[in-house]
Every structure is written in structure tokens, then in C-alpha cells.
Amino acid sequence: MPVQAPYGTWPSPIDAGLVAAHDGRPDFLGSVGGELWWTEPRPEEGGRRALLRLPADGRQSPVSVLPAPWNVRNRVIEYGGLPWAGAARNSGGPLIVFTHFADQRLYAVEPDAPDAAPRPLTPLSDITEDGLRWCDPVVLVDRGEVWCVLEEFTGEGPTELRRVLAAVPLDGSAAADRGRVRELTGDDDRFLSGPRLSPDGERLAWLAWNHPAMPWDGTRVMTARIGGDGSLEPPRAVAGGPEESVAQAEFASDGTLLIASDASGWWNLQRVDPRAAGTDGSRPRGVPLCPREEEFAGAAWKIGQRWFAPLPGGLVATLHGRGAQRLGVLDPETGALVDAAGPWTEWAPSLAVVDSRVAGIAASPRTSYEIVELDTRTGHTVVVAAHHEDLVDPAYCPEPQSRTFTGPGGRDIHAHLHPPHHPDHSAPAEELPPYVVWVHGGPTSRSPLVLDLEIAYFTSRGIGVVEVNYGGSTGYGRAYRNRLRQQWGVVDVEDCAAVARTLAREGTADPARLAIRGGSAGGWTSAASLTSPLAEGLYACGTVTYPILDLTGWATGETHDFESQYLESLVGPLAEVPDRYRERSPLQHADRTAAPFLLLQGLDDVICPPVQCERFLEQVKGRGVPHAYLAFEGEGHGFRRAETIVRAVEAELSLYCQTFGLAREDITPVELRP
């Protein structure tokens, strides 16, 4: 017989330490020869990213290649990009090139050599300590170079920089001489990603775009012939445009390009022959391979994400779906698409190919992200690394459901509902549960429906969670994404409020115990919801993590280059609608703040800097609103250290306990001061 106790007071074996220890997932999966390599988080080691290697024989466990403090990560566009690449060699084992987070240099290592110490390939910065950054490498052993994206600061401001494709010698001669780095492209484009060499080695392709566009707004596929001396001939655009986002481009074995373009309103796969581009600038015709109202790609928040991968023989492994992405194998000749078998419902944009096998990183509502391999000849799938383990009895995890709510004007709002759930406890029949609206970052992103111990931390204690993929989220076509154009702070706030009100109206949630929380752009929506008339009186409290609070400040030098003009589309041109920037900013409406709130911030955050929190707190001071501000040394945009995650999770629960009147003694309380 279940023990009856109020919602929010149930005991749970999922503590904050468990949440922290398993924060993050494998990423940047790739193949070198017959081996799989990837990066993996180490929260207990200061949040570094380790580089893992799975031997090809399949009988050994993954090996961490580099000991601490090596941290395989970079800061290109601040969110980072593909931090490693490798090449098989005839003797001596593979050659691996990677970026180290502490100094942002590019290093080479021969892991099978007797002395496998990394050696630097690029110099330390000569302008500022963060002056040179590298990512998205392609190791070309025959050329003796690694080709990659170079981000170079030309001044001290966050937008004083340039990006080019560059060739770095593998012999280490550029480690002390910047002049030894060959620049392959000029300064025509602000952003570059995805350098790909054609199978015959005669052509290079890459993606490019410029401010104020973001990569999900409009990109171009550039190609150029490679001269005998390794330089590039003048490049041409063969696909894409101001209102067409190409998220990825890959060469097929026949020299044509496969691209994921949203020209149809959905990111679909096309084939483009760059050799058919006219000398007059005319472009080759793109041929759709599997036209569907589904997404075969997503928003490129990191450089080097991979949603599809050509296989030998002409097949293509590809992610696809609406609101979630699963792995399928596409026959481009017939358009037939066959999905991989297995329980996984969400695949990360990180695919690797080894002969006829394709590996990916996949999860489900019951399993964490695992590395799964599909044999395309047999259709057999198997977990090969990062195996999911039930760290607690799965009965403590929520039983989620995907729902579509109705918003203003009858528009659809997609969300994932995670009701309170406990195997041994229930609440009194007359009691309704508290619910927290979780707002994802981006805002051009989405919340995947996968096992999340942080969600289970709350639901197993009797607090419901609803993740809202509000208008502007990815996964539902370009029209759904474009709902947020010039409407940030309106559509996102309205959609979250509509979901919360519906849950209260239908008797799923307690209308007096609703909360909202989010980080980054989700922090913006949370703060805006606490200060906007669109959600007035709806939320009893909110958790706001590394947020944007002042649009005008963020648009005039208080953020990094990648998003420095993002508000042009989200809010409108600052020069034309300055009042809109003020009207929507939580900073300008601190006097409307009535609900208790928790503010969490990394002091090293250059994307959403602490100064915005400090200004907001100054405006709130003396208004009698209970709140707490926790600022963390050594943390940037997104918490990575175990001790930070523990404190943040427990502080959030403490906020809900104090606001909702929940009696708990198993957390470190946070003091709310007016």
C-alpha cells in the first residue's frame, strides 16, 4: 500500500550528487580506421571533456586517451565545435589532432607511440589570451596538414575577430610561427564551418553565412577547386541563400554533394552536383532525395554536428522526424527510408561510419544516451559503449507523455509532460501537484524526450515538470521556427503560459503552485514571464539561470560575436525599434517582479555576462521580493562542475519548498532575502 504524503515531500534515491555525476552526454562521435572515438563529460574532474577510444576488435572497453587535465574542447563561436579528428596510417597507429580548452591550441598525439605526449601545432595567441581558436579539423596525412576553421581575434572586443579556413602543418612548425599557417579563404564570410574534401581530393566544400543571419536562417554551400599548390581557386555558391538554411553538406562517393536544405520548409536531403555550376554564376539544380514534412537536420548551435553520413555503396544514414529524430537508412535512388530497430527514440546529431556500419548517440525516455551501432547489412543494432545503467530503480523515473496544446489564435504548442511519480508514495486524493514549466535554451532549439535525472529528481519528489517546445523551437518545420521572428518575449512567454494555464484548468496541476525555470534563452523567457503582463500572476516563483535580462545591453557589446546580431531577427533591428528592446526587457520592468525567484550565474560567462544579473538585482533591491543570487567562480555558460550542479539543483528545490510550503530536510536550503 503506497504511503500517502503531500506532493513535493516524497523521499527519493535520486539526489543532487547523482544528477551531477551523470550530467552531460557523449558527443562528437567519429571513426578513425575501424575504431570509434568521441568526447565524454567528466563533471567530477572540473567539467573537462575526455577523449575516448573504442578498439576495433569489439572485445575491449573504451579507453580514455588523454589524462587530466587535458580537456578536448574549444571556444569557437563560444559554444564550441568539433574538437578532434584523426587519420589512420600505414604504420604507427592513428594520428589524432585535438583542441585543448585551457589554451585553445591545436595539438597532435600518436596514441600508439611509446611516448604519446601531445605536441602543439599552433601558437599561443599573440593578441589576447583567447586570440586564436581552432575547430572542425580534417587531418590530411598525405598533405602533411590539418585543415580547419580558424577564429582569430583582431582586438579586445568580443566582435573584433575574423574566421577563415586554414591549413596547419602537422610537423609542428606553426607552433611558434603564425606565418606557417596557410589561410585557404579570405574574409568575405563571417562564419565558416564543415570543410569537406571531395573523394578525388580536387575540390573543397564548406558552409558560410554572414550577420545578421544565424545558421538556421540562411547559409550558403561554397565549393572551390584545389590547386596543385594546395591553394583554393575562387569559390562559388552552389546552394543556399538568405532564406534557405543548409545545415550540413557532405560529398558522396561519386563527387556529388548531399545537403540538408530547408528550401521546402523542412530540412530535407538533396543531391547537388557542384561540377554543374556555371561559369556565369548559375547554380546546379538540387534533386530531392526523400521529400517529407520531417526534419533531416537541425539548428547548428555547434560547428561540426552531423545529421547524416554517406555510406559506401551509395546509401545514406540519416536522422529524421518531427519533434524527435530517429536513425534511418536512405536509398537515394528510390527514396526508400528504413529505420533502425531498437528502443531509442532520440538520436544526437553525431554520426560515424565504419564500412557498412553506422554509429550514433541515442537515448529514450527510459535510457540515457548510449553509443549504438547499426549494421546496415543485417539491420542489427547493438550498444557498443556508454551503456545505460539503471542507477536507481526505474520506478522512480517519470512516465512522460508528448502533448500538443492550443495557444493564442489556435496555434499548436508542443510539449513533454512529466507527471510526479513514485513507486511507494502517493498524494491525498484531493491534492493537485505543483508543476514547473521548463524552458529550453536557444531559443532556436528544443527539448528532447529522453531520460533526464534532473527531471526525475523533481518528479520523484512529487513535483511535476512540463518541457515546452514553444513557437520558435526546432523539429516542426521552418514556419514553426519563424513564429518567433520579432516576437521573442511574446510568443515564447504566451506559449509557456498557455501550457501552464491548460494544466491548471484541466486539473493536472495546482494553479497556486506553478513555477517556471530555464537557462540562457530559457532564463530570458523565465525572467520575462515573471515581469510580463502576458503571464501576470500565473507563476508562484521562478528559477532563472545565466539569463539575458537586458536586450539593449546584449545587442550593444555584452555578448559574443556569434549571437551579437541574433536579436535582429528575434526582436527587430535595434535602430528601428529601440522601444521594443526596452519594453520586453525584464530589467526595465523589475518593478513588476512579485514572485520569489532564484538567480544562478557563472562568473566566467561571456555569452550572458554577470553584469546583466547585477543590474537586475539592483533594480529589484528594496522591493520586498524574496530572492537569492548564487554566482559560481570558474563556471561559464552552462554549468559543468559537479559541485556547482549539486548546489544549483538543491537551491532550486529549496525555492520550491519555501514557496509551495513543502517540508523537506534533505537539502541545503537557500536563503531568500527581500
Side-chain angles (χ1 to χ4, degrees):
M1 188 74 177
V3 176
Q4 194 172 88
Y7 285 113
T9 68
W10 304 341
S12 173
I14 304 173
D15 62 20
L18 190 65
V19 172
H22 297 276
D23 183 69
R25 61 170 174 80
D27 205 358
F28 295 116
L29 179 66
S31 61
V32 182
E35 299 180 335
L36 293 176
W37 293 64
W38 65 92
T39 68
E40 205 166 84
R42 294 288 187 266
E44 74 283 0
E45 297 178 18
R48 80 178 184 102
R49 298 287 302 194
L51 183 63
L52 277 292
R53 173 188 191 182
L54 182 66
D57 60 18
R59 294 189 297 271
Q60 302 179 52
S61 299
V63 177
S64 180
V65 178
L66 301 166
W70 292 106
N71 188 354
V72 183
R73 182 175 155 229
N74 58 64
R75 288 181 58 182
V76 173
I77 69 167
E78 293 300 345
Y79 291 112
L82 180 65
W84 75 273
R89 299 180 297 177
N90 293 330
S91 62
L95 175 67
I96 305 297
V97 171
F98 69 94
T99 55
H100 178 43
F101 187 75
D103 58 17
Q104 293 296 300
R105 298 175 87 178
L106 200 61
Y107 287 81
V109 65
E110 301 174 51
D112 294 343
D115 181 8
R119 52 185 175 84
L121 299 181
T122 56
L124 286 169
S125 303
D126 57 3
I127 299 172
T128 68
E129 64 176 1
D130 297 323
L132 296 174
R133 302 173 182 175
W134 317 80
C135 83
D136 219 0
V138 178
V139 179
L140 306 174
V141 173
D142 292 343
R143 293 181 179 270
E145 294 179 322
V146 53
W147 290 14
C148 57
V149 174
L150 163 61
E151 181 178 83
E152 181 174 25
F153 281 77
T154 57
E156 295 184 359
T159 62
E160 296 179 69
L161 50 74
R162 58 194 291 267
R163 298 180 186 89
V164 297
L165 298 182
V168 178
L170 287 170
D171 62 8
S173 58
D177 183 2
R178 166 69 174 80
R180 297 282 294 175
V181 175
R182 288 195 308 118
E183 296 190 4
L184 300 171
T185 59
D187 293 333
D188 295 339
D189 293 305
R190 188 70 167 186
F191 300 97
L192 304 163
S193 70
R196 298 290 186 268
L197 205 66
S198 62
D200 60 12
E202 295 184 358
R203 191 180 297 271
L204 188 71
W206 66 95
L207 302 181
W209 69 96
N210 285 295
H211 280 143
M214 299 298 285
W216 42 86
D217 294 326
T219 59
R220 289 168 289 115
V221 182
M222 308 298 296
T223 65
R225 294 189 62 83
I226 302 171
D229 61 354
S231 63
L232 299 184
E233 295 181 2
R236 296 178 182 174
V238 297
E243 291 294 324
E244 178 185 355
S245 167
V246 178
Q248 185 186 340
E250 301 282 346
F251 276 104
S253 58
D254 63 359
T256 61
L257 275 171
L258 304 178
I259 67 172
S261 163
D262 73 349
S264 68
W266 298 81
W267 274 303
N268 278 194
L269 298 186
Q270 296 182 13
R271 186 186 300 277
V272 175
D273 190 345
R275 298 163 296 196
T279 56
D280 60 353
S282 60
R283 296 185 178 186
R285 184 175 64 90
V287 179
L289 301 183
C290 185
R292 294 188 180 192
E293 289 191 348
E294 295 183 10
E295 303 283 37
F296 286 70
W301 278 101
K302 294 181 180 179
I303 292 175
Q305 293 176 306
R306 203 176 193 199
W307 289 269
F308 68 89
L311 289 154
L315 299 178
V316 181
T318 183
L319 308 185
H320 70 103
R322 298 183 67 160
Q325 290 193 311
R326 56 195 180 275
L327 174 65
V329 177
L330 171 68
D331 183 343
E333 300 303 319
T334 65
L337 182 61
V338 179
D339 286 342
W344 307 281
T345 55
E346 185 72 53
W347 293 70
S350 189
L351 297 178
V353 170
V354 179
D355 299 322
S356 60
R357 304 188 307 277
V358 57
I361 302 170
S364 77
R366 285 293 184 184
T367 56
S368 55
Y369 282 99
E370 308 173 284
I371 296 180
V372 181
E373 187 176 82
L374 164 67
D375 188 330
T376 60
R377 294 172 300 180
T378 65
H380 182 64
T381 52
V382 61
V383 178
V384 295
H387 296 70
H388 168 77
E389 297 181 13
D390 286 328
L391 303 169
V392 297
D393 186 336
Y396 287 94
C397 296
E399 297 179 352
Q401 46 190 281
S402 292
R403 289 185 54 179
T404 301
F405 294 81
T406 301
R411 64 178 182 246
D412 287 345
I413 307 167
H414 303 288
H416 306 313
L417 193 68
H418 304 263
H421 185 76
H422 195 289
D424 303 319
H425 281 68
S426 64
E430 69 279 4
E431 184 184 1
L432 294 176
Y435 257 84
V436 184
V437 174
W438 279 34
V439 192
H440 65 69
T444 311
S445 184
R446 67 180 172 89
S447 295
L449 185 57
V450 298
L451 177 64
D452 186 331
L453 286 179
E454 189 172 7
I455 291 177
Y457 175 87
F458 291 102
T459 58
S460 62
R461 285 166 169 77
I463 299 174
V465 169
V466 59
E467 300 178 285
V468 181
N469 285 321
Y470 49 85
S473 301
T474 55
Y476 309 97
R478 183 162 185 133
Y480 195 86
R481 290 203 316 272
N482 284 353
R483 284 184 189 174
L484 211 56
R485 284 197 169 183
Q486 299 200 14
Q487 295 298 309
W488 198 36
V490 178
V491 165
D492 50 327
V493 172
E494 287 180 337
D495 284 2
C496 289
V499 170
R501 289 186 177 116
T502 300
L503 293 178
R505 186 171 58 250
E506 69 185 22
T508 299
D510 184 344
R513 296 191 293 175
L514 296 171
I516 190 166
R517 65 95 82 172
S520 189
W524 152 269
T525 301
S526 298
S529 297
L530 297 178
T531 57
S532 170
L534 298 172
E536 187 173 1
L538 179 61
Y539 301 110
C541 62
T543 300
V544 180
T545 308
Y546 35 86
I548 301 159
L549 298 168
D550 177 8
L551 293 178
T552 303
W554 209 69
T556 54
E558 286 186 358
T559 192
H560 61 144
D561 183 66
F562 178 59
E563 294 180 272
S564 61
Q565 296 185 35
Y566 194 8
L567 299 185
E568 294 281 303
S569 61
L570 289 176
V571 182
L574 177 60
E576 298 176 16
V577 289
D579 290 345
R580 189 183 296 168
Y581 280 64
R582 290 189 292 271
E583 289 165 3
R584 295 188 189 170
S585 293
L587 178 68
Q588 304 300 325
H589 302 291
D591 59 317
R592 295 178 183 163
T593 308
F597 66 89
L598 172 65
L599 193 55
L600 304 171
Q601 177 69 46
L603 292 178
D604 294 346
D605 194 340
V606 298
I607 296 172
C608 295
V611 65
Q612 295 225 338
C613 289
E614 293 161 7
R615 286 204 295 265
F616 183 77
L617 291 169
E618 191 63 30
Q619 293 298 313
V620 172
K621 184 189 301 182
R623 297 186 180 275
V625 180
H627 66 277
Y629 177 49
L630 302 183
F632 300 99
E633 295 277 0
E635 291 284 9
H637 198 68
F639 301 151
R640 296 175 179 272
R641 299 179 177 182
E643 59 271 24
T644 303
I645 297 168
V646 168
R647 183 67 180 124
V649 169
E650 291 191 344
E652 184 175 350
L653 179 57
S654 178
L655 171 70
Y656 303 148
C657 288
Q658 294 179 61
T659 306
F660 299 152
L662 310 176
R664 302 198 68 95
E665 297 179 355
D666 57 348
I667 56 170
T668 302
V670 63
E671 184 179 0
L672 301 177
R673 296 180 176 178

